[in-house]
Amino acid sequence: MTRRELLRLTLMTGAMSALGGSASLDVLVHAADEEYEGPLSSIKTGGLIRPPGALQERAFRAKCISCGVCVNVCHAMRYDAIAVAPFSSPFGKGGLRGLLDFGSPYIKDMRDFPCALCMECPKQCPAGALVSVEKEKVTMGMALIDFSLCFGWNGDVCLSCSKACPIGGKVFDFYNGEWGNQPYINERCVGCGLCVRYCPLGGSAIKVVTKRQYEAVKAAYTGDFKKLREMSGEARYNIVYGQNLPQIMARGRLVEREYR
Amino acid sequence: MSIDKQDAGYGTPNPEKKQRTGLPLSRLRRFVLLGIIVLFILQFVRVKILVGGLTGSLAVWFVTLIDIFAYADGLVSSRDFGMTALVSVLPVALIYLVFGRAFCGWVCPMDFLYELVGRMKNRSKKSELSSQRKGNISPKIGYGLAAAFLLISGLLEVPFFTNYLSHLTNFFRLLTGGVFFGMNLPVDRSVIIFSGSIIAGLLVLEFFFPRLWCRVFCPVGKTYGLFNKISLIRLSFAEGQCGECNLCDHMCYMKVKIARHIDETGLRDINCIYCGRCIDGCSTKGKLIKMRLWR
Ligand code: SF4
Ligand code: SF4
Ligand code: SF4
Ligand code: SF4
């Protein structure tokens, strides 16, 4: 290789890394600016939500060859739930984990494109990174209702989530009472996100987190739930009318799916 | 495809003009390549004949396929012989046990893109042969590089080359990403930009160093190159017609030395991609060199 060729090669490498750099910059620039915080914004998703039937995270990442079959199978099934993980993970930590996750499939936004649990992608993954399982045994994540945003917990009748859930009968517990038709999602939830999609609240009142993240926040979440159940009528009234309903009304104006 | 073969007989170009008129085998392999790409594009309108990409795909919603280097990559990173992946790689291995490195000449989209880059360049430079530099980088480097990639995959526990650098993965990631972006389906822009820059980088490399990637670096091609040693396909030569013009050697952009093997029964060079340019280029109008699956 002559010196001139070497120079060219160096320049090219430079240009390529610059382009790569701009890719990560792009992520920063386009990190969605939403008018309202999502449900349970204090709880992180805890990593990427994988398609159903994925192996344990580490084994999955090692096995998945980023072929895109699952992405396109999901598209062919008309669900379009799966996207390719971005160059740098937007879920907090990012860093090396984000870089290693790049290229692998994940469910990008359940508010628009949840997984319908058609179970085609695990059947078709050529690398065996996704393996066929029964619908009820899927462990994509765990759906958590934000009780401060849910219509049902704030004096209304809704239950859209439980109607949307493909395994609703087993997953939903109901606490119907004077404060509304109050739904609660138990641990049999598989995390498909259909409930997220069909929640009528602007931006949804439900958030799906990874199973591992759920284990981490479980104590706090169920603690809050218990507190809410035992709250006196007056305190509940103040919270519902003082804090929750104004938030709910504001989000009700979210007609456009601005967060897409 | 059969129509195209008939085309080959019709109006065979005379040697002087052969670079201007469409070359039969070159045209046939473009039909094969574009056919495959079109089938992959049809997946976006839910035609389920070829789904996925050339790293891994699903044929007729039934047969799963994995590229051989990608299989090795996944094997090293996961350290797990899964039956699923094995079942997916076997049909591919069978195909290329017959056709050797023909993948590079007949299926790989980069081959086509590189040809376009070459044409763009030659429009200003006139002569095709002028792009043939003296290459002094040994193609053997590629095997070392492939081994290094596998080592990194093992350390990172991520199929390193296949996920980040592969032209195949990134080509189809870019294609899917672009289409999804246009259709307002979930896709992250950084994915499009990343894959776009990898492909653009490869095209720039091609502009300055024609086929350096294929000949020296590409681990996917190198893997299929190993198949050349045991595959059925070969170049075979008819006896005693060679005018020793060396046009075949000039035409070959993989720099296979063909002319010096003319006296042998067959040639199965590790770099040969069975594109057929030597056959089309030969001054005997394709009578001397032939592609054969036996002898
Ligand atoms: S089909 Fe399997 S190997 Fe391919 S991208 Fe999806 S999970 Fe990964
Ligand atoms: S199971 Fe879910 S993610 Fe997989 S193809 Fe069906 S809808 Fe898409
Ligand atoms: S509760 Fe929601 S996320 Fe959980 S299984 Fe039902 S629809 Fe899916
Ligand atoms: S769909 Fe949303 S608002 Fe309705 S009950 Fe379920 S969580 Fe509450």
Side-chain angles (χ1 to χ4, degrees), chain A residues 27-222:
Chain A
V27 173
L28 294 177
V29 173
H30 291 280
D33 272 334
E34 289 179 20
E35 195 179 345
Y36 300 101
E37 283 188 331
L40 296 170
S41 51
S42 59
I43 301 179
K44 293 236 158 62
T45 312
L48 301 178
I49 306 282
R50 296 302 185 185
L55 304 175
Q56 286 301 307
E57 189 59 27
R58 195 166 153 194
F60 173 76
R61 192 60 200 94
K63 274 234 150 155
C64 169
I65 53 166
S66 319
C67 62
V69 166
C70 54
V71 176
N72 287 298
V73 160
C74 197
H75 174 69
M77 296 304 292
R78 296 173 185 269
Y79 297 120
D80 295 304
I82 309 180
V84 174
F87 187 61
S88 182
S89 172
F91 300 107
K93 285 176 224 152
L96 183 64
R97 191 66 254 162
L99 195 62
L100 293 182
D101 277 339
F102 166 70
S104 56
Y106 79 122
I107 313 292
K108 183 165 153 67
D109 196 335
M110 294 168 162
R111 293 177 293 186
D112 285 309
F113 299 103
C115 162
L117 293 182
C118 69
M119 304 315 280
E120 274 299 324
C121 58
K123 214 162 72 196
Q124 312 293 17
C125 172
L130 308 173
V131 286
S132 294
V133 281
E134 283 169 54
K135 271 185 200 186
E136 283 83 359
K137 301 235 169 76
V138 169
T139 53
M140 296 167 72
M142 170 77 197
L144 303 176
I145 294 177
D146 188 335
F147 305 118
S148 67
L149 290 176
C150 167
F151 289 121
W153 285 88
N154 292 284
D156 223 322
V157 180
C158 173
L159 301 185
S160 308
C161 48
S162 64
K163 291 170 209 154
C165 180
I167 37 186
K170 290 179 188 155
V171 171
F172 276 83
D173 301 334
F174 300 103
Y175 297 85
N176 296 340
E178 54 176 325
W179 286 104
N181 283 356
Q182 307 168 126
Y184 184 81
I185 299 174
N186 66 34
E187 289 173 13
R188 268 169 287 199
C189 165
V190 301
C192 67
L194 275 169
C195 55
V196 175
R197 167 78 176 78
Y198 288 101
C199 175
L201 183 89
S204 193
I206 311 177
K207 173 174 202 156
V208 175
V209 300
T210 61
K211 286 279 183 199
R212 200 205 272 161
Q213 176 72 348
Y214 174 67
E215 291 306 320
V217 300
K218 187 173 165 179
Y221 183 78
T222 48

Side-chain angles (χ1 to χ4, degrees), chain B residues 266-288:
Chain B
L267 176 62
R268 296 198 293 181
D269 192 280
I270 207 159
N271 279 323
C272 176
I273 59 172
Y274 299 102
C275 60
R277 279 169 56 98
C278 52
I279 300 172
D280 295 337
C282 176
S283 51
T284 66
K285 299 175 199 168
K287 281 193 209 114
L288 176 57

Side-chain angles (χ1 to χ4, degrees), chain B residues 91-104:
Chain B
V92 180
L94 276 179
I95 293 172
Y96 295 107
L97 274 174
V98 175
F99 294 109
R101 206 179 162 174
F103 173 85
C104 297

